[in-house]
Amino acid sequence: MISPLDLTHSNFIQQKIDMKTKPKGSLGKLEALAKQLVLIYSQGIGERSLSSMQFAIKEPSISVFAGDHGIAKEGVSIAPSEVTGQMVANFASGGAAICVLARQLGWHLNVVDCGILTPVPMSNVVDSRLGAITAPFHQQRAMNLAQLEAGFVSAKRLVEADIQRGCNLFAFGEMGIGNTTSAAAIFSAMSGLPPSQTVGQGTGVSQEVVNKKQRLVKQALAKHKLDSTKPEEVLLSVGGFEIVHIVGAILAAAEAQKPIVIDGYIATAAAILAIAMEPHCKHYMIFAHCSNEQGHKKMLDYLEVEPLLHLNMRLGEGSGAALALPIIQSALAIYNEMASFSDAQVTQVVK
């Protein structure tokens, strides 16, 4: 069960932010982000203690979940499914974009095999396999209930292990050839939007392939007759093994009352499912960026959230979430270190 944020100290926190040496609201999204973070980190703390407390990001963790998709056999990507395993090896060797960003910015990186065609025999790849590949979801359910439940259990264990390590900020990325098609099917099922508005170019496919993806998603929606009030059914029918893990990890991190940085299109599809399952988990989410994948802005609008960044990225891997870390750290630094008008003996101008 995920608890809603206790807003008892909301006015105190807002007043502290407003009394910094700046015009009210002049730091824009940083101010709202600082308030959200302090609200999360101050759960269960009395106001007297809160007035003198400082907050910091500790041991931030980003997990890249990888899984293969049966729908990829229909030619929905520029790459074959074998590339998923090759990229997992690249993650484990430290050569991918997310590895570079994690090293540069100070993220602890987990690489997780959730079910890829060819396992990668490297000691730093976490084995959380639910199978080798999902079923082609335009023909049958992508997975069974036992696989979904096992993915949730495994994701929770990973989150708990990171918390034991001292982590208080989570982000989740993904790798899986065909997973933008899965994410589009999830979004259409949950929002009611037609595939023409949710299916995009993914890895950069031609319009002909986009049209094929739209037909396959439309076929899947007609076959499974999905209901947005039953998000588990949506995940079972058109999800992926890596998406199952992201949903499970979001729920586990929110249950532990830790902030969660949401990445791009696939991660946001997982967030939509998690919120439908446990609405209070949205309070713990920070939306990192708006990707260039067609449909992602519609997802953010559907959730009524604003991202921190818009860099025309569409890589996945958690790369957008990784880049949000300095902004998150800056928001807390402003809260902790910026002088108030009275501290600095600066005259406050009130309009």
Side-chain angles (χ1 to χ4, degrees):
M1 187 70 176
I2 295 172
S3 302
L5 277 179
D6 181 352
L7 302 179
T8 302
H9 304 316
S10 181
N11 289 339
F12 174 87
I13 295 166
Q14 186 64 58
Q15 184 178 30
K16 186 168 180 177
I17 293 169
D18 289 344
M19 293 304 292
K20 302 292 185 183
T21 47
K22 60 175 177 57
K24 186 177 178 180
S26 60
L27 285 173
K29 292 180 184 178
L30 274 183
E31 297 189 23
L33 178 57
K35 183 178 181 181
Q36 180 187 10
L37 289 163
V38 174
L39 273 171
I40 293 170
Y41 288 139
S42 64
Q43 294 296 290
I45 295 172
E47 189 168 300
R48 182 174 296 180
S49 300
L50 178 60
S51 62
S52 60
M53 283 192 72
Q54 296 212 331
F55 301 90
I57 303 301
K58 299 174 183 177
E59 302 292 331
S61 170
I62 191 162
S63 297
V64 181
F65 297 109
D68 272 312
H69 292 252
I71 198 71
K73 296 176 182 177
E74 301 300 316
V76 296
S77 173
I78 60 172
S81 292
E82 286 74 16
V83 169
T84 303
Q86 293 165 9
M87 281 302 298
V88 169
N90 192 26
F91 297 144
S93 299
I98 188 56
C99 306
V100 174
L101 294 174
R103 285 195 299 269
Q104 180 195 20
L105 298 169
W107 289 94
H108 172 81
L109 179 64
N110 298 310
V111 181
V112 186
D113 176 1
C114 304
I116 61 177
L117 275 175
T118 306
V120 175
M122 299 176 79
S123 61
N124 58 340
V125 176
V126 178
D127 182 356
S128 186
R129 292 173 61 79
L130 305 180
I133 191 169
T134 59
F137 63 65
H138 65 303
Q139 296 175 343
Q140 64 190 89
R141 272 184 168 187
M143 67 193 78
N144 59 47
L145 184 58
Q147 290 170 313
L148 184 150
E149 290 175 343
F152 278 14
V153 169
S154 182
K156 185 171 184 176
R157 275 202 207 104
L158 184 65
V159 166
E160 289 173 343
D162 274 333
I163 290 172
Q164 286 294 315
R165 193 175 47 79
C167 172
N168 71 351
L169 181 78
F170 288 89
F172 307 115
E174 41 60 42
M175 175 64 209
I177 298 301
N179 66 7
T180 58
T181 308
S182 180
I186 289 168
F187 185 35
S188 280
M190 295 302 294
S191 68
L193 290 173
S196 60
Q197 294 187 44
T198 63
V199 172
Q201 289 188 305
T203 48
V205 298
S206 66
Q207 187 57 48
E208 181 182 358
V209 175
V210 170
N211 294 341
K212 179 192 291 185
K213 288 171 67 174
Q214 291 175 355
R215 288 196 300 272
L216 290 168
V217 170
K218 187 175 180 181
Q219 184 178 337
L221 295 173
K223 177 175 181 56
H224 299 297
K225 297 180 174 57
L226 298 172
D227 183 342
S228 63
T229 66
K230 298 177 180 178
E232 291 90 348
E233 282 294 317
V234 173
L235 186 52
L236 281 168
S237 297
V238 297
F241 293 149
E242 81 282 37
I243 298 175
V244 166
H245 279 75
I246 297 175
V247 174
I250 287 172
L251 294 172
E255 185 178 3
Q257 296 192 302
K258 307 298 182 186
I260 307 150
V261 187
I262 303 298
D263 189 47
Y265 190 62
I266 288 88
T268 308
I272 287 171
L273 292 171
I275 291 167
M277 293 175 194
E278 289 278 358
H280 294 316
C281 72
K282 185 178 178 182
H283 300 167
Y284 302 91
M285 295 181 184
I286 298 163
F287 291 82
H289 76 127
C290 181
S291 84
N292 235 21
E293 176 65 14
Q294 131 96 334
H296 192 218
K297 184 179 186 304
K298 292 184 178 68
M299 282 182 171
L300 298 171
D301 290 344
Y302 172 79
L303 289 173
E304 298 180 331
V305 296
E306 286 191 36
L308 297 176
L309 301 166
H310 193 154
L311 298 174
N312 294 333
M313 296 170 65
R314 54 179 178 84
L315 174 63
E317 302 181 6
S319 52
L323 286 168
L325 180 58
I327 298 174
I328 293 166
Q329 292 168 323
S330 296
L332 281 180
I334 290 295
Y335 183 87
N336 291 332
E337 301 173 26
M338 190 173 177
S340 68
F341 286 103
S342 59
D343 290 338
Q345 298 183 342
V346 173
T347 301
Q348 182 182 9
V349 178
V350 181
K351 291 186 179 180

